[in-house]
Amino acid sequence: MSPAQPARAVRGSKLTRTQIAELFTRLRDANPHPTTELEYGSPFELLVAVVLSAQATDVGVNKATRRLFPVANTPAAIVALGEAALKDTISSIGLFNAKAANVVALSRLLLERHAGEVPRSREALEALPGVGRKTANVVLNTAFGEPTIAVDTHIFRVANRIGLAPGKDVRTVEDKLVRLVPAEFARDAHHWLILHGRYTCKARTPDCAHCLLHDLCRWPAKAPLAHGDSAWRPHVGKKTALSQ
C-alpha cells in the first residue's frame, strides 16, 4: 500500500486550505480580539493617526497624537489650528511637514464634501490628501469593520516568508490574502498578521524558536523550535497532515 500523498497547496499559496484555516485559528486563539496599536477615539482620529504613521512607529505616532487630539480632534478643529501649529505639535515624527499639510488639507475636504465625517467608501477615502490604498484599508477595517487587509511591510514579509500568500508587490499579496483568508477570519486577519510580523516574524531576527506557526511555516531558513516551552502549543511537534 503506497503512503498517502500530502494535500496540495491552494493556488496562490504554499499552504493548503486546511493549513491556512489552522494558521488563523492559532492566531485567533492566542489573541481573540486584536486591534490596532494606534490610539484613537473616533474614525477621524484613526484616519489622522494612520496618515501620520507613514514611515513612523505606532509608539511615535501615539506620543504625537496624545499632544494633538486634546487640542484638535475634528476636521474643523484641525483647520482652525492651522498648518504651522500642527507642525509644531507633531514635529517629533518623521515627515511632519508634509503630513501636517496633508492632515489640514484632508480636514478641509472632509468639511467641504462630507459634512466633516469620514467617508465609508474606498474611492472617497483615497481622494483625500495623504490617503492611499493602505490607509483606506486600515480605516475601512478598523473604524468600519470591513474585511479589508492593509498590506504593510510586516504583512508583506509574513505572507511571503511563511508561504501564506507570496507575491512580488503589496497589491498582489493583498489580492491573494483577500481570496485565501477564510471568511470567519477576514475581519481580524489584518491585525493578526501585522502583530505576528511586528513581534515574532521580525525582519532581521525572526523569533522562529517561539513561533506558534512554526510547523506550518514554509520558510527554508527558519530556525528550529525551542524545546521545553511548548506546553501552551499542543500542536507543536505532532506529525499530522498540517505539518506535511
Side-chain angles (χ1 to χ4, degrees), residues 121-164:
S121 80
R122 179 189 303 283
E123 182 181 11
L125 284 167
E126 291 187 20
L128 300 173
V131 178
R133 185 176 182 85
K134 183 179 74 173
T135 296
N137 277 339
V138 173
V139 173
L140 291 170
N141 177 270
T142 305
F144 301 126
E146 299 291 337
T148 57
I149 298 179
V151 179
D152 68 349
T153 56
H154 296 299
I155 293 183
F156 184 77
R157 178 176 66 255
V158 169
N160 276 281
R161 182 181 277 169
I162 70 178
L164 172 60

Side-chain angles (χ1 to χ4, degrees), residues 35-50 62 65-66 69-70 72-74 117-118 142-144:
T35 188
T36 180
E37 292 185 318
L38 292 170
E39 298 172 358
Y40 72 99
S42 68
F44 179 72
E45 287 187 358
L46 176 65
L47 174 61
V48 171
V50 178
N62 288 337
T65 55
R66 286 172 199 158
F69 290 157
N73 67 341
T74 66
E117 299 294 325
V118 176
T142 305
F144 301 126

Side-chain angles (χ1 to χ4, degrees), residues 67-85:
R67 296 190 299 270
L68 173 62
F69 290 157
V71 176
N73 67 341
T74 66
I78 289 288
V79 172
L81 181 65
E83 190 173 323

